[in-house]
Amino acid sequence: MLTLSLQTLKARWTTFVGSFLALALGVCLLTITGLSLAATLGRDQATDWYANADLVVTGSDTVTVTYGAGDAAVQETTTTADAAPVPADIPARIAAMRGVDEVVVDRRVPVHVDGWDGYARPWSSAAMHPYSLLAGGPPTSGEHVVLGSGASASPGERIVLQTPAGPRAMTVAGVVDDDAGAIYLSDDTVDELAGGRIEAVAIRMADGARAVDLAQRISRPGLRVLTGDARSLAEPDRHGDKLAFASSLLGSTTGVAAFVSVFVVAGTFSFAVVQRRREFALLRTAGATPRQLRRLVLGEALAVGVLASATGGALGTVVAAPFASWLARVGLAPPGFTARPVWWPLVAAMGVGLLVALTGAMVAARRAARVRPLDAMREAAVDRRVMTVGRWIFGLLSLAGAGALLAAVPASGPDGLGLLLVDAQLALIAAALLAPVLVPLFVRVVGWPLPGSTGQLARCNALAAKRRTASTATPILVTIGLAATTLAATATLWETQQRSAQDRITAATVVTPASSAGIGEATVTALGQQPGVRAAVPVRSAEAYVRRDDQIEGLPVMYVGAGVTEVLNLPTLAGSVDAVHQYGGADGRPVPVAVSRSAKWSLDDVVSIWLADGTPVRLRVAAVLDDSLDLDRTLLLPWDLGRQHGPRRGADAVYLARDSAVPHGDAALDRVATAGGSTIVPVADHVSAAHAEQDRMNRLALLALLGMALLCATISIANTLIMAAADRRREFALLRLAGATPRQLLRTVATEAALIAVAATALAGTLAAGTLVGLRATLVPLTPHPQIVVPWATIGAITAVCLGVAVLASLVPAALALRTPAARLAAARE
């Protein structure tokens, strides 16, 4: 049967062109996203700061919890945002060990100078990094600073260094050819700024010492001893957030590519098999068994699948690198990010493509092979019984699941937001499976107003050829449904989050930093001492970890200063938020915390968490807040707790509560903020600026997601209609012989394609509207007056592309077919 399959492919190659292109493109998309995703896994940054060190000792960067006991014990480990500090006694202990030649204590503090962000490090640590002085010399006092070549300053110049402690006037002592983001100060100055916290200990070994032996002697619980390429793990990952974002984006893109490809490829293969029903009928009449027919179709699918998968994999391998470079160029991935050929994503993409091809062909082949020989001719001539039992079962189950999930979303609170996209995909699956039933219903509604014989004929054609109509509508349905749901849901969430955050802030104005160093403590104090300022409340975001059930869960943290209730509207259900500031430091008592109700903690509960650097802390719930979108599960912790634990950082913002008699344009207040490297802005500007970069990243991410889906769908639409046009040549000839002009036929074909596209769009809009209803119901308890935002322009453009492709792909082959005389076209063999 394989030989016969190959002969059939050779004789009917035009029938399989659409299947080949759809499958090749689907495998290409999966290969591109798979190779790009693989590039984010295990991507290590080069060792820079500690290139001259043999070993580097840092604190642990994980939290481990053991569940169960004995043989049933299971350990759960989570990587923390920051590494724990190295205990103060470790450097002296290491220095006393045999085989150690030099020990350098390294600390780092985020700082900013003249538009340049970096980390302040002790001058002694410069020896661990290859460098050379371009000008000047090392720092010899606490007021000296050595800058990297990226800063525009010369020895002897006076500069202002913004630090977490506040602004410091410094004198440039030297400039080094160091572009690793380090700014060198005296060891004592960095020790003071870091609050004594040790980030790492760099070690040079004596001659003859072995790194493995020395690492074993140093090793102890809570420490990491790093050698070789692992030394880079002790350095700050300047692009870690972008890499994590790229990994998340590519994971979603791969899922969308697979989701769209499955429908497009399976639908195209099924339609190609359906077109050959008359051929199968003749084979059955000639004595072919159902098993032989299935083997014939599967052999053809195998041949096309192997060739198309190989082609798509090769094309995806070539395109993956430019795609990864585009991600880096627009800021969705770290600089220099690229995709290289890796065998497993390529094999996985080709395997999925081949599996989809065989599955799509198998479903249609089984249906064609089940009919009896005498019924086959009737089945081949008319579109009847287009819905199989399996399609009914899985379609109705998917529809019921989507409805149940949508009904459960409002009761899920903030957790329900993540269920919406799953619900949308489940609804699209149901609509695609039930397309032969649902699309004709929308065709009747949409096509009812069409006037004249052209409109009536177009509507009748669409209703009679249900398989062709469903195959054409499915990619349009999936593309527009996915685009409308994703774009509208994300736009609504962005707008709602921004409004919720703006409504939360009751402060008169907000002080925002100009750099990642944040706003220093001295600046915060000076702001609070200005006339007319009732409260200057610093806030800073962080992360914490809690043991919940059988896993470690990450929770957002906001460290807040005293007077937070004067600058933020915090809907308190129980307790008092002001009690958070009764934290007395390291006195052994649990730390007071305010938490939203969604965290499922009650007033006066005592819970244990780990801070961002793995420091264990016991908390007492001092206040329970009502659920809200912008504070979902956020822990409000005392500002002093953040100062005592974790790397020193300035405030992300300072909220100012001011007397109403004081004008907002206070010059003295502006001077204090400017001296601290910050700016006083209105609340609306602060909120919009905070969301601007995230909005840009999200828009680009959606472009990457939906761009691939749109490309795959347009190819599928064109393939389906071009394949269908070959079967309609006899229909065109009969209409020509009955007196229809070429212009009338083309107008009918274009109207039919537009009618199907509009019907599919209406169905997609209905599904998207249902999802948005669920989204609004979820947002109502979380924020006042949620507003649904629909980006009509973008969705309209995507719809217009689908409509244009459908009409064009119908007109071109029809116009070519009409160039043949009607009598010859009617006599042409199938």
Side-chain angles (χ1 to χ4, degrees), residues 435 439 468-479 717 720 756-757 759-761:
V439 174
R468 183 178 70 230
T469 299
S471 297
T472 304
T474 297
I476 301 176
L477 165 68
V478 171
T479 302
I717 297 168
T720 302
I756 295 173
T761 302

Side-chain angles (χ1 to χ4, degrees), residues 301-647:
L302 178 62
V304 174
V306 170
L307 184 59
S309 296
T311 303
L315 182 60
T317 303
V318 173
V319 178
F323 174 74
S325 298
W326 175 80
L327 292 177
R329 190 166 57 253
V330 299
L332 294 177
F337 179 74
T338 187
R340 296 180 176 84
V342 182
W343 68 268
W344 64 265
L346 181 60
V347 171
M350 294 173 62
V352 169
L354 188 59
L355 180 62
V356 168
L358 294 175
T359 303
M362 185 182 299
V363 173
R366 288 185 59 187
R367 186 177 185 278
R370 272 201 308 267
V371 299
R372 294 172 297 179
L374 293 179
D375 294 337
M377 296 299 293
R378 210 177 304 122
E379 181 74 10
V382 182
D383 270 354
R384 298 181 303 174
R385 297 172 55 192
V386 294
M387 289 293 295
T388 63
V389 175
R391 196 160 187 161
W392 273 113
I393 292 175
F394 289 108
L396 292 176
L397 285 177
S398 299
L399 186 62
L405 196 60
L406 185 62
V409 163
S412 302
D415 292 336
L417 298 176
L419 300 177
L420 282 170
L421 291 182
V422 177
D423 176 78
Q425 290 185 346
L426 197 59
L428 287 174
I429 292 174
L433 291 173
L434 300 175
V437 176
L438 296 178
V439 174
L441 294 178
F442 281 84
V443 167
R444 284 190 172 89
V445 174
V446 174
W448 177 77
L450 290 177
S453 59
T454 299
Q456 295 298 322
L457 184 58
R459 185 171 68 249
C460 291
N461 282 341
L463 293 175
K466 294 181 180 179
R467 290 189 177 92
R468 183 178 70 230
T469 299
S471 297
T472 304
T474 297
I476 301 176
L477 165 68
V478 171
T479 302
I480 298 178
L482 191 63
T485 302
T486 304
L487 290 172
T490 51
T492 299
L493 283 175
W494 296 343
E495 179 67 20
T496 305
Q497 286 175 343
Q498 187 164 330
R499 289 191 176 195
S500 181
Q502 186 169 335
D503 293 342
R504 174 81 53 218
I505 302 173
T506 59
T509 49
V510 183
V511 184
T512 60
S515 70
S516 58
I519 304 173
E521 296 176 10
T523 302
V524 175
T525 302
L527 290 169
Q529 294 173 347
Q530 295 302 303
V533 176
R534 297 197 315 273
V537 182
V539 298
R540 178 166 62 84
S541 298
E543 194 171 359
Y545 309 91
V546 63
R547 174 176 176 172
R548 198 183 296 274
D549 298 328
D550 290 340
Q551 61 181 354
I552 302 174
E553 180 181 348
L555 295 176
V557 166
M558 182 183 293
Y559 293 108
V560 296
V564 65
T565 53
E566 294 192 52
V567 296
L568 294 180
N569 177 24
L570 300 172
T572 306
L573 299 177
S576 172
V577 177
D578 291 331
V580 172
H581 308 296
Q582 298 175 5
Y583 171 64
D587 56 5
R589 292 181 299 173
V591 178
V593 60
V595 65
S596 64
R597 180 173 53 182
S598 57
K600 300 180 180 178
W601 294 341
S602 302
L603 189 66
D604 291 329
D605 280 355
V606 176
V607 295
S608 297
I609 68 167
W610 294 268
L611 300 181
D613 64 348
T615 301
V617 175
R618 294 173 65 243
L619 305 179
R620 178 184 62 83
V621 179
V624 178
L625 308 178
D626 198 5
D627 290 336
S628 60
L629 188 63
D630 58 319
L631 292 178
D632 177 34
R633 297 189 181 182
T634 300
L635 307 180
L636 270 60
L637 292 173
W639 179 260
D640 288 341
L641 180 68
R643 293 177 65 251
Q644 295 172 8
H645 300 284

Side-chain angles (χ1 to χ4, degrees), residues 1-9 16 273 276 279-280 283-284 288-304 358 361-370:
M1 293 303 293
L2 182 59
T3 302
L4 182 58
S5 299
L6 295 177
Q7 292 296 326
T8 306
L9 283 176
F16 297 97
V273 172
R276 301 168 57 196
E279 176 186 334
F280 295 149
L283 289 174
R284 288 297 313 277
T289 65
R291 181 180 179 184
Q292 288 174 324
L293 282 183
R294 287 195 296 268
R295 291 175 59 188
L296 172 66
V297 174
L298 291 178
E300 295 167 351
L302 178 62
V304 174
L358 294 175
M362 185 182 299
V363 173
R366 288 185 59 187
R367 186 177 185 278
R370 272 201 308 267

